[in-house]
Amino acid sequence: MLQHEIDEAKEQILTISAVNPKKCMVCGKCSATCPNYDAMEYHPHQFVQMVENGQIEQLLSSESLYACLSCFACLERCPRQVEPAKLIEAVRMVVERKRGPHHLEAEKVPEMLDKDLPQQAIVSAFRKYRK
């Protein structure tokens, strides 16, 4: 990515999330409380620092975007109310917007369903994979 594209993506992420990553003091409490910590390439506090430092390209291609459970446990533990989950969600939205609209179409959902899949997972998938 070119520098202006990185800057543009960072600005989009900050606008979508409304989070100020400069407030982060890198205490790691958000990562310590993350229930999916082991499945993430970049942990919540690292996401915050990477956005702040302009390391957007790595985040846009990271599988950690989809490992985040959006449980917001990190928000509860942050002493400075940085809200890492909102940043992760914003990065995910930037990636999905670049892919284009409607990656998950309602007509195709029944063939992807598992009998043990909770309905909340379906709603969450539409939120994550639709523009």
Side-chain angles (χ1 to χ4, degrees), residues 49-69:
Q49 290 305 303
M50 291 174 82
V51 168
E52 174 58 25
N53 297 329
Q55 296 172 301
I56 306 300
E57 197 166 6
Q58 294 101 313
L59 292 178
L60 295 177
S61 62
S62 173
E63 290 299 315
S64 293
L65 293 175
Y66 304 100
C68 175
L69 302 172

Side-chain angles (χ1 to χ4, degrees), residues 17-31:
S17 68
V19 170
N20 180 0
K22 292 180 182 179
K23 293 185 341 184
C24 180
M25 59 185 186
V26 197
C27 67
K29 287 184 179 184
C30 57
S31 294

Side-chain angles (χ1 to χ4, degrees), residues 93 96-98 100-103 126-131:
M93 288 177 72
E96 294 303 324
R97 286 177 179 174
K98 286 184 180 208
H102 310 298
H103 283 279
F126 272 105
R127 183 173 54 82
K128 290 179 182 177
Y129 302 113
R130 287 188 63 124
K131 190 171 183 179

Side-chain angles (χ1 to χ4, degrees), residues 12-105:
Q12 276 186 309
I13 292 164
L14 295 176
T15 301
I16 292 168
S17 68
V19 170
N20 180 0
K22 292 180 182 179
K23 293 185 341 184
C24 180
M25 59 185 186
V26 197
C27 67
K29 287 184 179 184
C30 57
S31 294
T33 194
C34 180
N36 215 19
Y37 178 90
D38 293 332
M40 297 181 80
E41 175 185 7
Y42 302 119
H43 304 109
H45 75 281
Q46 292 172 313
F47 259 92
V48 175
Q49 290 305 303
M50 291 174 82
V51 168
E52 174 58 25
N53 297 329
Q55 296 172 301
I56 306 300
E57 197 166 6
Q58 294 101 313
L59 292 178
L60 295 177
S61 62
S62 173
E63 290 299 315
S64 293
L65 293 175
Y66 304 100
C68 175
L69 302 172
S70 300
C71 67
F72 300 108
C74 55
L75 274 68
E76 297 297 321
R77 289 296 308 269
C78 181
R80 312 258 338 245
Q81 287 76 45
V82 176
E83 304 175 309
K86 287 186 178 181
L87 274 176
I88 295 170
E89 187 75 24
V91 174
R92 185 186 296 147
M93 288 177 72
V94 168
V95 169
E96 294 303 324
R97 286 177 179 174
K98 286 184 180 208
R99 288 185 182 169
H102 310 298
H103 283 279
L104 183 62
E105 297 174 12

